[in-house]
PDB file of all heavy atoms in Angstrom:
ATOM      1  N   ASP A  91      83.254 171.124 114.797  1.00  0.00           N
ATOM      2  CA  ASP A  91      84.657 170.757 114.781  1.00  0.00           C
ATOM      3  C   ASP A  91      85.051 170.066 113.501  1.00  0.00           C
ATOM      4  O   ASP A  91      86.168 170.221 112.992  1.00  0.00           O
ATOM      5  CB  ASP A  91      84.959 169.920 115.976  1.00  0.00           C
ATOM      6  CG  ASP A  91      84.819 170.802 117.374  1.00  0.00           C
ATOM      7  OD1 ASP A  91      84.867 171.929 117.290  1.00  0.00           O
ATOM      8  OD2 ASP A  91      84.732 170.083 118.424  1.00  0.00           O
ATOM      9  N   ASN A 136      26.139 163.166 135.166  1.00  0.00           N
ATOM     10  CA  ASN A 136      25.567 163.685 136.349  1.00  0.00           C
ATOM     11  C   ASN A 136      26.757 164.084 137.340  1.00  0.00           C
ATOM     12  O   ASN A 136      27.754 163.377 137.612  1.00  0.00           O
ATOM     13  CB  ASN A 136      24.764 162.566 137.140  1.00  0.00           C
ATOM     14  CG  ASN A 136      23.424 162.423 136.376  1.00  0.00           C
ATOM     15  OD1 ASN A 136      23.036 163.175 135.522  1.00  0.00           O
ATOM     16  ND2 ASN A 136      22.712 161.411 136.718  1.00  0.00           N
ATOM     17  N   ALA A 240      58.612 166.148 139.488  1.00  0.00           N
ATOM     18  CA  ALA A 240      57.985 167.351 140.070  1.00  0.00           C
ATOM     19  C   ALA A 240      56.524 167.544 139.537  1.00  0.00           C
ATOM     20  O   ALA A 240      55.674 167.976 140.359  1.00  0.00           O
ATOM     21  CB  ALA A 240      58.861 168.663 139.811  1.00  0.00           C
ATOM     22  N   LEU A 279      50.642 161.365 125.371  1.00  0.00           N
ATOM     23  CA  LEU A 279      50.643 160.957 123.986  1.00  0.00           C
ATOM     24  C   LEU A 279      52.089 160.584 123.575  1.00  0.00           C
ATOM     25  O   LEU A 279      53.036 161.011 124.133  1.00  0.00           O
ATOM     26  CB  LEU A 279      50.147 162.146 123.158  1.00  0.00           C
ATOM     27  CG  LEU A 279      48.817 162.625 123.393  1.00  0.00           C
ATOM     28  CD1 LEU A 279      48.421 163.881 122.585  1.00  0.00           C
ATOM     29  CD2 LEU A 279      47.833 161.527 123.035  1.00  0.00           C
ATOM     30  N   CYS A 314      74.011 174.818 111.739  1.00  0.00           N
ATOM     31  CA  CYS A 314      75.437 175.021 112.033  1.00  0.00           C
ATOM     32  C   CYS A 314      76.199 174.758 110.704  1.00  0.00           C
ATOM     33  O   CYS A 314      75.701 174.177 109.783  1.00  0.00           O
ATOM     34  CB  CYS A 314      75.897 174.254 113.126  1.00  0.00           C
ATOM     35  SG  CYS A 314      76.360 172.563 112.688  1.00  0.00           S
TER      36      CYS A 314
END
Side-chain angles (χ1 to χ4, degrees):
D91 291 343
N136 287 348
L279 298 174
C314 80

